[in-house]
Amino acid sequence: MRYDPAQKEATRKRMLEAAHRLFRRQGFAGAGVDGLASEAGVTSGAFYKHFGSKAEAFRTSVEIGVGEFRAAVEQFQEQYGGAWLAQFASFYLGEKRCAELGESCALQSLSTEVARADTATREAFQRELLKAHKAFVEGLEGKENHVAAQQAWRDIALLIGGVTLARAVQDPELADEIAAAVGNELRSEG
């Protein structure tokens, strides 16, 4: 039976969305192929037709997830101009931090998973992270290139680390305190 290319693409998109959620919620080791297929409403065989392996699905999910971070940075830059960083920090440390883990940012939920992944996944992550960094740098107007590049790495690390710590603690007040401290630091740059 032959499938319509549009149907095939829609199935692949549904599978990627399911993989995003499951990898973010359960990590690479916790998300098996059967679970990924089930989350997408397809069979394991269909999963393997679209992705040669779980590692390939993870790599693709990581690439898209880090690309989403970059796209959000660019959207905030376009929408808020020079005030983008403070607005982005508020969003990232607020709404994005409090989102269900399956809807969280790939950078904070999958970075430790990537550190244990294969070389191809780590290379893909690095490639997409460098694009996100470049977008950050482009939003830091009026700074020398090397200063903006260092600030961008620091800001990205503060955001990712702040959200990761805030999500890891049990006490909601402590989580808010961590997020506020990071947000205050980033807003003071403006």
Side-chain angles (χ1 to χ4, degrees):
M1 173 184 229
R2 296 180 64 107
Y3 287 99
D4 177 340
Q7 180 184 5
K8 186 176 180 179
E9 185 56 35
T11 300
R12 181 177 171 80
K13 182 178 183 212
R14 191 172 71 246
M15 290 170 51
L16 276 171
E17 290 168 355
H20 286 337
R21 286 189 307 272
L22 209 55
F23 284 133
R24 290 172 187 178
R25 262 196 325 257
Q26 298 180 358
F28 181 79
V33 170
D34 290 340
L36 291 164
S38 176
E39 181 86 6
V42 300
T43 65
S44 297
F47 174 88
Y48 282 115
K49 285 182 183 176
H50 288 271
F51 303 102
S53 65
K54 181 173 94 167
E56 182 183 334
F58 181 69
R59 183 177 317 112
T60 304
S61 181
V62 165
E63 288 172 323
I64 291 169
V66 179
E68 289 171 348
F69 177 84
R70 178 192 43 78
V73 166
E74 291 169 345
Q75 177 188 349
F76 274 78
Q77 289 170 345
E78 184 177 317
Q79 186 173 355
Y80 296 104
W84 77 271
L85 183 55
Q87 293 295 323
F88 184 74
S90 293
F91 161 74
Y92 196 82
L93 295 163
E95 181 182 330
K96 202 62 174 170
R97 169 180 65 97
C98 295
E100 191 271 320
L101 193 56
E103 302 302 320
S104 66
C105 174
L107 280 168
Q108 68 90 76
S109 60
L110 296 178
S111 290
T112 56
E113 299 287 330
V114 171
R116 293 185 283 268
D118 60 33
T119 301
T121 299
R122 293 183 74 192
E123 288 171 351
F125 177 84
Q126 179 175 312
R127 186 174 48 252
E128 295 304 317
L129 181 61
L130 287 170
K131 291 176 188 175
H133 176 261
K134 182 179 182 210
F136 239 87
V137 169
E138 289 172 359
L140 300 174
E141 300 169 354
K143 299 186 185 286
E144 291 184 39
N145 235 10
H146 72 281
V147 172
Q150 288 181 352
Q151 180 180 331
W153 283 128
R154 187 198 67 209
D155 293 350
I156 292 168
L158 277 170
L159 287 166
I160 302 334
V163 170
T164 301
L165 284 176
R167 279 187 173 274
V169 299
Q170 179 66 32
D171 181 358
E173 289 180 17
L174 179 56
D176 289 344
E177 184 179 333
I178 293 166
V182 171
N184 290 339
E185 178 66 25
L186 292 170
R187 282 187 284 279
S188 72
E189 294 174 10

